[in-house]
Amino acid sequence: MILMNTIPTLTAVTMVALVAPAMAHTTVVSGQVAGTWHVDPDHSPKAGEPARIWVALTRRGGTPIAFDRCACKLLIYPIPGDQPLLTPELRAISAEQYRDI
């Protein structure tokens, strides 16, 4: 993900969230930015069925970064190192305590 203005860059591997066993949210930190990942339903996507993935970006200290402040792109890979399988369109949502992520 590339964040606009002076917000640091956060890079994460989406496949980790897609293939990980059921668990609470997964958080990846890079510099001053953290991305908290969640896959619906309950981190247990089913093959062949749509799944919603959301990422809440926050600055150090927990201040949320709104979706409209990011130039975010999600790439989903079948195997790390392969060509992306999907590049879904992203839109802002509100989930749990996060708004306009």
Side-chain angles (χ1 to χ4, degrees):
M1 290 176 210
I2 301 171
L3 307 176
M4 298 186 304
N5 298 331
T6 59
I7 302 171
T9 300
L10 175 70
T11 305
V13 178
T14 303
M15 285 307 297
V16 172
L18 291 178
V19 298
M23 66 179 105
H25 302 88
T26 301
T27 301
V28 177
V29 178
S30 179
Q32 300 292 313
V33 176
T36 299
W37 296 77
H38 181 80
V39 180
D40 286 329
D42 300 318
H43 280 281
S44 298
K46 295 185 182 6
E49 294 183 17
R52 182 171 79 162
I53 300 169
W54 58 262
V55 180
L57 297 177
T58 56
R59 291 186 175 92
R60 183 180 297 267
T63 303
I65 301 170
F67 180 78
D68 65 357
R69 300 290 300 162
C70 302
C72 299
K73 186 175 185 180
L74 176 64
L75 304 173
I76 300 175
Y77 295 88
I79 299 171
D82 277 3
Q83 293 297 313
L85 179 65
L86 297 170
T87 307
E89 180 180 332
L90 303 179
R91 64 182 180 278
I93 66 164
S94 294
E96 298 182 5
Q97 76 267 28
Y98 304 105
R99 300 292 169 252
D100 298 318
I101 58 170

